[in-house]
Amino acid sequence: MTDAALELAQVNIARLKFPLDSPELKDFVDALDPVNADADAAAGFVWRLQPEGGDATDVPVFGDDWLIVNMSVWRDADALTAYMYQGRHREMLARRREWFERVREAMSTLWWVPAGHRPTVAEAEARLLHLRAHGPTPYAFTLRTSFPPQGADPVAFTVPEELGCSV
C-alpha cells in the first residue's frame, strides 16, 4: 500500500537509431498517440510530460538531439507495471531494439514525488545521473530495486527478461 500523499514519477530516455521522420521509425511514431492514449486511460495514471504536440519527442534532454524522453507520474509501481507489460505498450517494448540504441548506462529511473507535483526534465536528469553514480537509492531507483514511498528497505521486483530494464 502506498502513501496517498506521494506518487511515483518515472523517466525513460532512449537514443534513437534513426531520425523520427525516417521510414525505420514509422511504426514507432505511428504508435505514439495510441500508446499515450492507453496510458492516459490506465488505472493509476496521474500525468505525463506532454507539450503542445501531444508527445514529448521534441523535448530536449541532456542536450542530445538523438535522445527522446518519456516522463510520467503514477499512483504506484503496481499501476505503472500493469500498464507497461500489457497491450500496445508491451508490443512496443518488444520492438525497442529496432528503434533505439543499446546504451550501457541507466536510461530510466523512478522516484517518489508529493501528490500534485509535476517533475521537470531537469529534475529527471538529476535523478537519472544520481542513479548512474550511486545505484538504486530512495532518491532514484528502478523497478528491479524499488523503494517504498518512505524510502525504507528495498523491495525486489522481477522484470521479465525479454522486456527488462537496462539497469
Side-chain angles (χ1 to χ4, degrees), residues 4 8 15 21 38 43 48 50 61 74-75 86-87 92 104-105 107-108 117 119 126 131 134 139 141 147 151:
L8 186 66
R15 180 177 298 282
D21 60 357
D38 291 348
R48 72 179 163 88
Q50 183 178 352
V61 60
W74 295 80
R75 178 187 62 231
Q86 67 179 341
M92 299 291 286
R104 288 182 185 249
E105 64 259 3
M107 297 294 276
S108 63
H117 175 72
L131 175 68
H134 304 285
Y139 183 79
F141 51 90
F147 289 81

Side-chain angles (χ1 to χ4, degrees), residues 134-157:
H134 304 285
T137 67
Y139 183 79
F141 51 90
T142 68
L143 285 174
R144 290 183 187 209
T145 306
S146 64
F147 289 81
Q150 300 309 320
D153 296 330
V155 177
F157 176 80

Side-chain angles (χ1 to χ4, degrees), residues 75-86:
R75 178 187 62 231
D76 55 32
D78 291 340
L80 173 61
T81 56
Y83 164 72
M84 285 176 57
Y85 297 117
Q86 67 179 341

Side-chain angles (χ1 to χ4, degrees), residues 87-104:
R88 280 186 275 236
H89 191 270
R90 180 184 176 100
E91 294 168 16
M92 299 291 286
L93 276 176
R95 296 186 61 194
R96 71 190 182 279
R97 297 290 177 236
E98 295 175 36
W99 305 314
F100 307 115
E101 297 287 345
R102 255 195 128 115
V103 179
R104 288 182 185 249

Side-chain angles (χ1 to χ4, degrees), residues 1-8 46 74-75 112-116 149-150:
M1 182 118 50
T2 61
D3 181 338
L6 295 172
E7 297 168 329
L8 186 66
V46 176
W74 295 80
R75 178 187 62 231
W112 294 102
V113 296
Q150 300 309 320

